[in-house]
Amino acid sequence: MNALVETTLNEGWSWVRDRLREEFGEATFNNWLGPLDIESLEDGAVVLSAPTRFLRDWVAPRYGDRIRALWRRRDGSVQTIEILVKAGASRPARQPVTPSEVSPGTTQGPVANSASQVDAALDPRCTFENFVVGKPNEFAHAAARRVADMDDVQFNPLFLYGGVGLGKTHLMHAIAWRLRERRPDRRVMYLSAEKFMYRFVQALRFKNTMGFKELFRSVDVLMIDDVQFMDGKEATQEEFFHTFNALVDQNRQIIVSGDRSPSQMDGIEERMRSRLGWGLVAEVHATSYELRLGILQVKADLLGATAVMPKVLEFLAHKITSNVRELEGALNRVIAHSTLVGRPITLESAHEVLHDLLRANVRRVTIEEIQKRVADYYNIKVSEMSSARRAQMVARPRQVAMYLAKQLTSRSLPEIGRKFGNRDHTTVMHAVKKIEQLSQADNGFAEDVELLRRMLEA
Ligand code: ADP
Ligand code: MG
């Protein structure tokens, strides 16, 4: 390559890298895209290299098209992107970008790694003592306590699931703290599924999968948080599956959390899903008013803010319904504000400090409510919302409900489709368009839809 060509090439690549970093964020960029190097550009073919086969096979199907598109924005003559594995990697191969996933290689490497590298810092506030128990979380709490207090494995795995900010991570940390205190001889490992994957990829990159396997298979208790992160990440799932089985065989305890129940994890391979459901599955339900109030009282005490008036706590418990994290945030803000301005907390000041949060916490409508309301309104059975019947008298209300689900919830089109008898997302898209058209053309119809919307938002 002559110097000029090389400079142009490097500039092009550096420009593309900057765009990728902006688009995908620092973390993704550093993990996946940063390790790529530019090799050459000839006759419209850009050749990049990856340090490992795994990385290449991960990046190519996910980012290959994007890299190509970006490059073409800068240089229209670019036709293809190839990513090859750098010489010296386990199985060098020059392959075009293909949408395939691979299972991890079995490269051997020196056994190193200590548990401390993986053992994420446990939050000292997340103990059982600080966990407020109420109806929505009592079962999950009891299951977590059982695991932490028993020496023999009674159910494997313990699977905790529920929406964000409801206390899953808190419970896992609490188990770890309790075990440390009670059984310091046992090796307890807690990490997020994301960390697990990251460690796994690192092991592949540095040819240390043996070390990785040994590390994870030597623990007494393994906790993997937010397993939904493994959605669609087949190689990581595969590795987790093997780790999981190895630990179960040795009668070691596994605890997993997720945002859905195992059976609803449709991005997780069937055999893994069924494994996850083998032990005890416990849901952490959305909070109730009483639980929120209890949590606020405990937190206010912990913060030494005993002067917060009960009326203010009740107000918060009533208004901030989304999750415990936001509830805590609201309390912190109210207290911080009063400390700063040197005035006691009143209902009015709480209102003022939290006005943005309060707006975001207007009641969230569920798809089920929408289906029920719309079915009532048009006098059809709720079951027609997911039936296959196409007669207009049921199909139209169904479309109205899909439209409202799109408007009033944050669910994606595929999620909405699933709730309507497993329909395709294109069906939902079509429904939304149809209702928009009809509303334009027919005032009476538009009013019906508007009325339903107001009823649901009330
Ligand atoms: P998740 O992992 O389910 O998203 P977290 O465990 O991170 O939720 O909880 C969010 C915040 O709310 C944490 O600060 C946690 O300590 C707190 N929290 C959740 N549930 C409770 C509870 N029942 N009692 C006390 N604090 C709670
Ligand atoms: Mg969590």
Side-chain angles (χ1 to χ4, degrees):
M1 231 187 303
N2 75 44
L4 180 64
V5 172
E6 190 168 341
T7 312
T8 324
L9 186 58
N10 285 332
E11 276 170 6
W13 178 224
S14 138
W15 183 88
V16 171
R17 280 165 58 96
D18 288 344
R19 302 288 89 67
L20 291 168
R21 189 186 281 115
E22 276 167 23
E23 250 177 61
F24 296 106
E26 202 65 34
T28 302
F29 180 84
N30 288 339
N31 287 345
W32 305 116
L33 301 162
L36 299 178
D37 281 331
I38 178 77
E39 298 291 329
S40 62
L41 166 54
E42 270 165 53
D43 303 328
V46 172
V47 179
L48 301 170
S49 66
T52 63
R53 187 183 168 77
F54 178 84
L55 193 94
R56 195 276 313 279
D57 288 339
W58 178 272
V59 167
R62 290 175 181 77
Y63 303 102
D65 283 347
R66 194 59 202 145
I67 296 174
R68 176 170 172 272
L70 284 169
W71 214 308
R72 282 178 61 84
R73 236 162 73 191
R74 194 180 154 94
D75 176 356
S77 71
V78 165
Q79 299 298 327
T80 60
I81 301 286
E82 276 180 48
I83 305 179
L84 49 82
V85 181
K86 228 181 228 127
S90 49
R91 233 185 312 161
R94 191 189 170 93
Q95 281 181 13
V97 173
T98 49
S100 71
E101 257 267 10
V102 281
S103 45
T106 46
T107 331
Q108 308 224 345
V111 179
N113 289 326
S114 70
S116 62
Q117 282 175 277
V118 178
D119 213 355
L122 296 171
D123 188 331
R125 290 163 304 181
C126 292
T127 59
F128 281 122
E129 288 70 35
N130 293 341
F131 191 82
V132 183
V133 184
K135 229 175 171 43
N137 60 23
E138 66 179 345
F139 182 56
H141 170 260
R145 278 232 72 126
R146 179 64 73 85
V147 168
D149 287 336
M150 292 287 164
D151 283 331
D152 53 334
V153 175
Q154 305 198 339
F155 27 74
N156 223 354
L158 167 61
F159 190 97
L160 299 171
Y161 78 95
V164 284
L166 297 181
K168 301 181 296 294
T169 299
H170 189 136
L171 282 174
M172 290 175 113
H173 285 209
I175 294 172
W177 282 121
R178 180 95 183 102
L179 281 169
R180 275 198 184 175
E181 173 188 302
R182 216 173 53 75
R183 292 293 308 268
D185 58 308
R186 291 172 87 191
R187 282 167 58 91
V188 178
M189 194 186 284
Y190 163 89
L191 77 170
S192 64
E194 184 176 9
K195 255 275 169 45
F196 180 87
M197 181 184 79
Y198 180 72
R199 300 276 315 178
F200 172 52
V201 173
Q202 290 265 306
L204 292 165
R205 190 187 299 171
F206 297 112
K207 306 208 181 90
N208 190 18
T209 48
M210 284 308 286
F212 177 88
K213 283 180 204 297
E214 289 205 2
L215 174 64
F216 281 94
R217 288 167 200 193
S218 67
V219 300
D220 296 300
V221 180
L222 177 65
M223 303 195 222
I224 300 283
D225 205 354
D226 289 323
V227 72
Q228 73 276 0
F229 181 84
M230 292 188 193
D231 262 27
K233 301 177 174 98
E234 287 159 32
T236 302
Q237 281 180 34
E238 166 110 17
E239 186 57 31
F240 180 52
F241 185 69
H242 294 312
T243 306
F244 187 103
N245 289 339
L247 289 173
V248 169
D249 284 347
Q250 298 173 70
N251 211 21
R252 309 276 169 81
Q253 181 73 54
I254 298 169
I255 304 158
V256 180
S257 83
D259 66 349
R260 281 155 284 165
S261 72
S263 58
Q264 291 168 317
M265 296 252 163
D266 38 22
I268 302 281
E269 251 190 283
E270 168 57 31
R271 58 179 187 167
M272 186 70 231
R273 252 190 290 161
S274 99
R275 270 285 159 114
L276 287 173
W278 268 13
L280 184 68
V281 177
E283 179 171 3
V284 187
H285 296 272
T287 56
S288 61
Y289 171 76
E290 291 77 13
L291 179 58
R292 289 194 294 275
L293 189 59
I295 291 173
L296 285 169
Q297 283 161 352
V298 170
K299 304 268 166 181
D301 278 353
L302 277 177
L303 291 167
T306 38
V308 187
M309 289 191 303
K311 270 226 150 355
V312 172
L313 297 185
E314 282 163 24
F315 169 73
L316 295 179
H318 194 69
K319 291 292 185 182
I320 314 284
T321 55
S322 49
N323 66 51
V324 184
R325 190 170 297 132
E326 279 201 4
L327 195 63
E328 280 184 334
L331 179 66
N332 287 337
R333 248 158 81 175
V334 170
I335 294 174
H337 179 264
S338 114
T339 316
L340 278 175
V341 300
R343 279 201 300 271
I345 302 162
T346 60
L347 268 185
E348 290 70 48
S349 73
H351 245 292
E352 219 177 279
V353 179
L354 301 175
H355 71 276
D356 55 328
L357 259 187
L358 295 174
R359 204 161 350 118
N361 269 276
V362 287
R363 208 173 65 85
R364 303 229 167 104
V365 189
T366 65
I367 293 182
E368 287 74 15
E369 282 172 76
I370 294 173
Q371 292 178 327
K372 179 157 186 338
R373 267 301 163 95
V374 175
D376 282 353
Y377 191 82
Y378 290 101
N379 206 13
I380 62 171
K381 290 207 197 96
V382 184
S383 58
E384 297 289 9
M385 289 290 162
S386 31
S387 77
R389 269 182 74 198
R390 285 158 174 251
Q392 183 153 324
M393 63 159 299
V394 296
R396 188 73 76 227
R398 193 186 293 133
Q399 288 177 323
V400 170
M402 288 184 196
Y403 169 82
L404 289 169
K406 181 74 197 119
Q407 301 290 317
L408 302 180
T409 73
S410 53
R411 296 310 174 112
S412 66
L413 295 173
E415 283 175 306
I416 295 172
R418 243 175 277 142
K419 298 255 184 183
F420 285 83
N422 264 327
R423 288 179 154 78
D424 195 72
H425 73 277
T426 53
T427 309
V428 183
M429 213 148 68
H430 174 73
V432 172
K433 284 220 188 82
K434 186 78 199 172
I435 298 306
E436 278 166 359
Q437 279 167 9
L438 286 172
S439 300
Q440 291 259 312
D442 178 348
N443 274 337
F445 182 78
E447 275 169 27
D448 282 349
V449 175
E450 192 45 41
L451 186 62
L452 275 164
R453 178 212 295 277
R454 262 188 264 135
M455 276 170 19
L456 283 159
E457 277 179 336

